[in-house]
Amino acid sequence: MSEASNPLSPGLCRTFVLLIKHDGSVTRTAQELGLNKASVSKQLRPLVHGTPPWLPRPWLMKDGKRFVLTDEGRAMLPTAKELSQRWGQFASFASAGNTPGLTV
């Protein structure tokens, strides 16, 4: 199994978290991300169909024009929120040019 085939990424976690924040609305998620709806829908495809072995069960399912969480998605949401938040902190730290120091 190569890492390249793994659909999970910090960006996908962030999109997933924002989608749930916006009650499953791709339109509102796309607006917040500054993307078009087709791009967001394409990003979400692995979460809707599952992508074994990385995502053996879908996290989302379509309900009309919105997405809703499956049981698997409900279980994964807290971790995705935490990872998305930590990645944001990491990216901010890195872009600020800070270097970790040693303190005693």
Side-chain angles (χ1 to χ4, degrees):
M1 262 181 284
S2 73
E3 195 65 29
S5 63
N6 187 342
L8 294 173
S9 69
L12 181 58
C13 281
R14 181 172 186 240
T15 300
F16 173 63
V17 169
L18 289 176
L19 180 76
I20 301 310
K21 172 186 164 190
H22 292 299
D23 300 318
S25 169
V26 172
T27 301
R28 292 195 341 240
T29 302
Q31 287 171 343
E32 183 161 339
L33 291 170
L35 300 171
N36 62 44
K37 293 189 303 187
S39 294
V40 171
S41 292
K42 186 176 180 179
Q43 278 185 1
L44 295 171
R45 198 170 293 142
L47 301 181
V48 176
H49 299 293
T51 309
W54 307 105
L55 297 162
R57 291 175 298 279
W59 295 6
L60 297 168
M61 64 183 183
K62 198 84 155 128
D63 184 24
K65 291 186 176 188
R66 296 185 180 273
F67 286 95
V68 294
L69 291 167
T70 62
D71 289 341
E72 186 78 3
R74 239 183 299 327
M76 295 305 296
L77 183 59
T79 302
K81 283 181 180 178
E82 181 181 346
L83 289 174
S84 182
Q85 179 185 11
R86 286 181 184 254
W87 183 259
Q89 291 168 342
F90 173 77
S92 293
F93 184 80
S95 67
N98 297 326
T99 54
L102 178 63
T103 58
V104 180

